[in-house]
Amino acid sequence: MQQFGELLQGLRLPAYWRDMVREQMIEAAQKAGFDQEAMEREKERLRLKRGRILKQHRDGYIEDEEMEAEVAAVELALRALEVPETNGRLVDSRDGRGTPRYGHAYLGTWRA
């Protein structure tokens, strides 16, 4: 383990390595059929839905608990659309990390 740690400490990556990994993962997602425009349309639909839910709550048509559950579901769906998935890894738009996913369960963070 000590030798492996020393090996890793000696490894030098370019400052923009995360960008390089992210670009490669996005290319792979596009080859696998990822459609950016469809994703943006779905995000807009979900944002409008969130607005309608809040309006229904404000107008007294739905209770607090129902509103919270509905908004949480919309937020979860929006978050899922924030990052495309390719080869079982999520392309994180913030920092380029690939996050492993098994089914829908999040089991930690992978770093390149």
Side-chain angles (χ1 to χ4, degrees):
M1 286 183 64
Q2 182 179 0
Q3 288 177 337
F4 184 68
E6 290 170 3
L7 176 70
L8 286 179
Q9 286 178 346
L11 183 62
R12 298 291 177 239
L13 296 172
Y16 53 90
W17 71 269
R18 289 180 189 257
D19 294 333
M20 293 169 51
V21 170
R22 181 177 183 275
E23 287 174 17
Q24 290 175 2
M25 292 180 77
I26 288 174
E27 286 176 20
Q30 288 172 340
K31 287 178 184 174
F34 173 71
D35 184 358
Q36 180 76 23
E37 290 177 17
M39 186 180 76
E40 291 301 323
R41 284 191 305 268
E42 181 63 8
K43 283 182 184 180
E44 183 60 24
R45 185 191 72 78
L46 288 167
R47 288 184 197 111
L48 291 171
K49 180 177 181 178
R50 180 178 49 201
R52 287 190 302 271
I53 292 166
L54 294 172
K55 184 175 180 347
Q56 287 176 339
H57 178 259
R58 187 175 50 244
D59 292 345
Y61 292 110
I62 60 175
E63 299 294 324
D64 291 345
E65 296 81 21
E66 184 179 359
M67 183 270 304
E68 290 171 1
E70 292 289 330
V71 169
V74 169
E75 293 294 333
L76 185 62
L78 280 169
R79 176 65 182 129
L81 290 173
E82 287 292 320
V83 288
E85 180 177 338
T86 180
N87 295 329
R89 299 236 181 253
L90 298 175
V91 180
D92 190 326
S93 60
R94 290 170 292 143
D95 63 8
R97 289 190 322 237
T99 304
R101 236 171 59 166
Y102 305 95
H104 291 289
Y106 169 78
L107 299 176
T109 300
W110 171 82
R111 294 181 190 266

